[in-house]
Amino acid sequence: MIQVKNPPEQPITFLGKQQQGGGYGKQPGRYDAYLTEVGPGTPCGEMMRRYWHPVGLSATTTDQPQKVRILGEDLILFRNKKGRPGLLHNRCCHRGTTLYYGRVEEDGIRCCYHGWLFGVDGTCHDQACEPGGGQHRDKARQPWYPVEERYGLVFAYMGPLDRKPPLPRYDILENLSPDEKLEQEGKSFYIGGGTSAEQPLAPYSWLQNFENVVDPFHVVILHSRFSGIQFREQLGVMPQVDWEPLDHGVAVKSIRELESQRYRRITQTLLPNVRIVPSIELTPGKGREVAWLVPVDDHHHRSFGVARVGVNEEPVYTRRSRIATHEGKTWWEMSEDEHQRFPDDFEAQSGQGSIPFHSEEHLATTDKGVVMLRRMLSRQIKAVQEGGDPLGAEPGEDRLIVVQAGNYFE
Ligand code: FES
Ligand SMILES: [Fe+2]
């Protein structure tokens, strides 16, 4: 019988020393909370709250209250009977039931429990069971956020009211001709599927989707070689890439020498989470879509997009889901086996985890855009911590963004 020494000469620890790169002893991974956590009071969350974010589509913002979760806060979006949208905190400031069960009236939303009525700016107009409709009702104000509608989306500003910047305009979404219109989406994932009307949330952080925009090499590998041609053949040519600061973001300039011409593709990000990607069908000219990767909470995000289209064109978001196909099947029609063998953006990004472990990354030369974007975001977070305004969110005059993203053939 073997005698086991007891107690051991060395105390047993959960993790030993990692040797020769083996898995044993590996330290637990850590993510960069400074850059990813978005709740109230977090460094990144405070920076995010200095910009406008879409929270719903105008067309579906009605007198039926909707639950909206954004930046880790649970809110209720509705449109009063006069047509004005409102965004209030979920829990009634009387005794805390949800306004989801409230009823929308001419001037606001009435809580189901004791009938307090709140306007779109949170003002309490009536306390139905209090004498005289509530003699102290001016003391109760439901937490609220300013909202504005533009391009068929409802945008909210969740930061300090005295620092509210103007809601930006984008040249590519302005001055439509009579045969053009704007098309909106608020539930479909980027290009490769992954979410649906029933499940609009992507189960991972907004940051990894945002970083994907400045990562042009995944277009060559993931979308063109690994999984076959998911967009267009020309995108499989390895590009010469430059990343540059542009406006308040990072632009990616990818040049491809094609057989008969030079193809210059510019993709643009705008802090903190706006993406302008030119057509994946390689339509020449400026991009025609602006999209926002909106943090729902630390581990979920959703996208909202607006595209400029011809009035008789097939809806662009439907068309796009048919472009990125595998043997004619859309992402939603593919089997698990096909998703495994022909992954797309959703698989690659959700595969990084709900927040990637940044401590385990090995960034290389082709990740320069990711590094630039993270540094730019960090600088804005720091600016807010020091009492300043982040780039692109300075209070003041109306602001028009002149987009440069596009497909240019020379
Ligand atoms: S909990 Fe809303 S009115 Fe009482
Ligand atoms: Fe992609």
Side-chain angles (χ1 to χ4, degrees), residues 35 37 56 146 266 312 372 381:
L35 275 181
E37 292 185 349
I266 302 179
N312 298 318
M372 281 175 73
I381 295 172

Side-chain angles (χ1 to χ4, degrees), residues 190 212 218 223 345:
Y190 190 11
N212 174 78
H218 90 277
H223 294 306
D345 278 313

Side-chain angles (χ1 to χ4, degrees), residues 122-275:
T123 308
C124 186
H125 295 308
D126 185 31
Q127 297 175 331
C129 48
E130 291 293 309
Q135 279 148 17
H136 304 291
R137 61 175 179 262
D138 57 321
K139 301 268 185 305
R141 190 157 182 182
Q142 183 67 13
W144 65 288
Y145 292 121
V147 291
E148 276 187 38
E149 287 184 273
R150 181 166 296 163
Y151 308 136
L153 296 180
V154 181
F155 291 85
Y157 172 74
M158 296 169 64
L161 293 174
D162 60 345
R163 302 312 301 164
K164 181 160 70 77
L167 176 60
R169 295 179 181 277
Y170 302 85
D171 65 338
I172 56 173
L173 302 178
E174 300 273 330
N175 301 319
L176 304 190
S177 62
D179 58 353
E180 291 179 309
K181 63 175 182 177
L182 295 179
E183 189 190 322
Q184 300 79 15
E185 66 93 37
K187 53 182 175 284
S188 78
F189 177 74
Y190 190 11
I191 290 166
T195 56
S196 63
E198 298 72 40
Q199 178 46 274
L201 305 189
Y204 53 90
S205 154
W206 63 282
L207 183 61
Q208 63 231 63
N209 199 344
F210 197 40
E211 289 176 349
N212 174 78
V213 185
V214 292
D215 172 10
F217 290 98
H218 90 277
V219 176
V220 180
I221 304 302
L222 177 72
H223 294 306
S224 307
R225 299 187 183 177
F226 192 94
S227 298
I229 304 291
Q230 290 181 320
F231 306 153
R232 287 289 183 267
E233 207 182 324
Q234 295 91 320
L235 294 172
V237 174
M238 197 59 86
Q240 193 72 36
V241 176
D242 267 328
W243 292 268
E244 290 172 13
L246 178 63
D247 212 313
H248 50 286
V250 173
V252 188
K253 300 186 175 173
S254 307
I255 294 179
R256 289 175 169 86
E257 302 296 345
L258 304 180
E259 252 168 42
S260 56
Q261 55 194 346
R262 163 180 280 213
Y263 167 36
R264 198 158 50 89
R265 180 176 174 83
I266 302 179
T267 299
Q268 230 178 314
T269 53
L270 292 167
L271 298 184
N273 59 346
V274 176
R275 178 194 76 203

Side-chain angles (χ1 to χ4, degrees), residues 3 8 12 27 47 51 84 129 166 175 179 202 209 240 255 258 282 312 321 325 340-341 351 364 409:
Q3 191 74 37
I12 296 168
Q27 295 300 308
M47 181 274 290
Y51 296 85
R84 282 194 58 193
C129 48
N175 301 319
D179 58 353
N209 199 344
Q240 193 72 36
I255 294 179
L258 304 180
L282 309 197
N312 298 318
S321 68
T325 56
Q340 190 181 5
R341 288 185 295 121
F409 295 90

Side-chain angles (χ1 to χ4, degrees), residues 78 80-82 88 92-94 99 102-130 133-134 137-138 140-142:
F78 64 97
N80 73 15
K81 299 273 190 191
K82 286 183 176 155
L88 303 181
C92 172
C93 69
H94 176 217
L99 293 177
R103 191 176 57 220
V104 169
E105 301 187 358
E106 198 69 8
D107 276 321
I109 185 167
R110 192 180 290 278
C111 179
C112 70
Y113 209 0
H114 313 93
W116 289 23
L117 173 68
F118 303 104
V120 293
D121 64 353
T123 308
C124 186
H125 295 308
D126 185 31
Q127 297 175 331
C129 48
E130 291 293 309
R137 61 175 179 262
D138 57 321
R141 190 157 182 182
Q142 183 67 13

